[in-house]
Amino acid sequence: MPNHTSDRHPWFRAALAAPPGSAARRRYVFRPVDEDHPDRPPNDWRSAFGGSAWRRVPSPDGGPDEWYLHLFSPEQPDLNWDDPQVPAEYGAIIRWWLDRGVDGLRIDMAHALFKHPDLVDAGPGQHTEFRRNHLMPFFDQAPLHALYRQWRTMVDAAPGNGR
């Protein structure tokens, strides 16, 4: 699933061990804590499984560190597709499967890969009013089109695809 990894994934473990602003953290969607309102998440986004889509991680001294985004469960932190390492890694995964002759790939939650760059509030109807999904700032963002074209090109160029 390209939207997120497990919280046990080596990338996320490295992100938690790294300081804010590090390359390891940039592979995920982290945001700083508002010192005046440390319990207030960066926006109103809701998890598809209920509750806030943000979880705060403690700093090594136990104080507030940063929030990370999880559109699903806290054990599934969202990747940051604006970081070049993320699409490069997923491209390598797709190529690995294509090199082994798969006939196709199912890519769940691909419409959630890019988030609105300003992380604007989503308002009511998150994950419940499906006719409004395209209006959510965490679904169907413009950079998806170029990414889908890249993936299509990879599949078309795969040996044995019949084209």
Side-chain angles (χ1 to χ4, degrees), residues 108-132:
D108 288 344
M109 293 308 298
H111 66 292
L113 301 185
F114 292 94
K115 282 58 171 180
H116 189 285
D118 297 330
L119 299 179
V120 296
D121 283 348
Q126 299 176 48
H127 308 291
T128 59
E129 295 180 28
F130 299 114
R131 69 183 185 285
R132 294 186 64 236

Side-chain angles (χ1 to χ4, degrees), residues 11-86:
W11 274 14
F12 193 66
R13 295 289 184 192
L16 293 178
S22 65
R25 288 226 176 160
R26 283 192 299 271
R27 293 185 292 215
Y28 291 88
V29 181
F30 277 90
R31 290 298 181 268
V33 169
D34 178 343
E35 296 297 328
D36 294 331
H37 305 282
D39 293 327
R40 185 184 301 160
N43 60 30
D44 73 346
W45 294 3
R46 309 297 294 165
S47 162
F49 299 149
S52 176
W54 296 94
R55 163 100 21 125
R56 196 174 79 192
V57 296
S59 67
D61 67 4
D65 186 349
E66 288 190 309
W67 296 91
Y68 72 87
L69 179 66
H70 60 88
L71 287 180
F72 296 93
S73 81
E75 295 82 20
Q76 298 171 314
D78 280 41
L79 288 162
N80 174 15
W81 277 79
D82 292 317
D83 182 89
Q85 291 183 28
V86 174

Side-chain angles (χ1 to χ4, degrees), residues 87 114 141-154:
F114 292 94
Q141 297 297 302
L144 281 173
H145 301 289
L147 180 65
Y148 290 168
R149 283 190 292 277
Q150 289 173 1
W151 289 349
R152 178 80 252 176
T153 299
M154 291 172 65

